Amino acid sequence: MTRKSLVKLILPFILIGLFLVTASQPAAAEPSLFEKSRAQAFAMLGEVPKPLPGFRMGAVLITLSNPYWVSMKEGYENAARQFGITLDIQAAPQENSTTAQLDILENMVAKDYNAIGVHTITAHNLIPGLAKAQKKGIITVASKRVDLKAAK
């Protein structure tokens, strides 16, 4: 599987997680904002390839003590079931636990996941772990919060 097709496989998880928050609106006769957003995202991505058997993905969230991140976790889990992949989701104990979050990412890198999605607490705290993942060839998808200049 090429790097491009793996990225196409991972992006839906991030998008579904991000759009899950809008899914809590009451059901209506017309498609919900979540359903419209999801359809648009998949239309832009094109056909999503089936994952290789044994595909493992990690997700590093900020914390599960915030309802937003609990919803994000549920979105990742729903997408993993839909696409048939093994998913490990972990989060720091608090929203300011930058070192704990980096430890989680570095442990995932050591376990050789095929891909890891990260949501950073700060613009810099996960850069060392992302660099290690890149060295090992692990595909990473990060939130916009990562300082790309510093990461280079």
Side-chain angles (χ1 to χ4, degrees):
M1 182 175 280
T2 67
R3 189 169 185 83
K4 184 176 179 180
S5 63
L6 284 174
V7 169
K8 282 178 74 173
L9 176 69
I10 294 163
L11 282 176
F13 290 94
I14 302 298
L15 293 171
I16 288 170
L18 291 173
F19 296 133
L20 180 67
V21 176
T22 62
S24 61
Q25 298 177 359
E30 64 183 61
S32 68
L33 177 60
F34 168 74
E35 292 166 334
K36 289 177 187 175
S37 299
R38 185 176 189 271
Q40 288 174 348
F42 279 99
M44 289 184 336
L45 289 170
E47 186 177 339
V48 177
K50 292 193 183 290
L52 296 171
F55 188 89
R56 295 181 325 127
M57 180 177 172
V60 181
L61 302 180
I62 291 179
T63 184
L64 293 176
S65 62
N66 178 321
Y68 175 84
W69 295 108
V70 172
S71 293
M72 184 70 75
K73 177 182 183 281
E74 291 168 356
Y76 271 107
E77 291 168 339
N78 290 336
R81 277 191 296 278
Q82 180 180 353
F83 290 99
I85 69 162
T86 301
L87 176 67
D88 178 18
I89 302 172
Q90 296 183 31
Q94 297 174 334
E95 290 189 16
N96 62 353
S97 301
T98 56
T99 304
Q101 192 187 40
L102 177 59
D103 289 343
I104 290 168
L105 175 57
E106 289 180 338
N107 285 331
M108 285 185 173
V109 170
K111 292 179 182 177
D112 291 325
Y113 285 88
N114 299 98
I116 302 172
V118 298
H119 302 271
T120 63
I121 293 173
T122 71
H124 301 99
N125 75 297
L126 294 183
I127 290 174
L130 292 170
K132 289 176 184 177
Q134 183 181 22
K135 259 187 178 174
K136 289 185 88 171
I138 298 171
I139 295 171
T140 56
V141 179
S143 61
K144 286 185 173 182
R145 190 176 288 173
V146 174
D147 181 342
L148 295 178
K149 273 188 178 179
K152 286 183 182 184

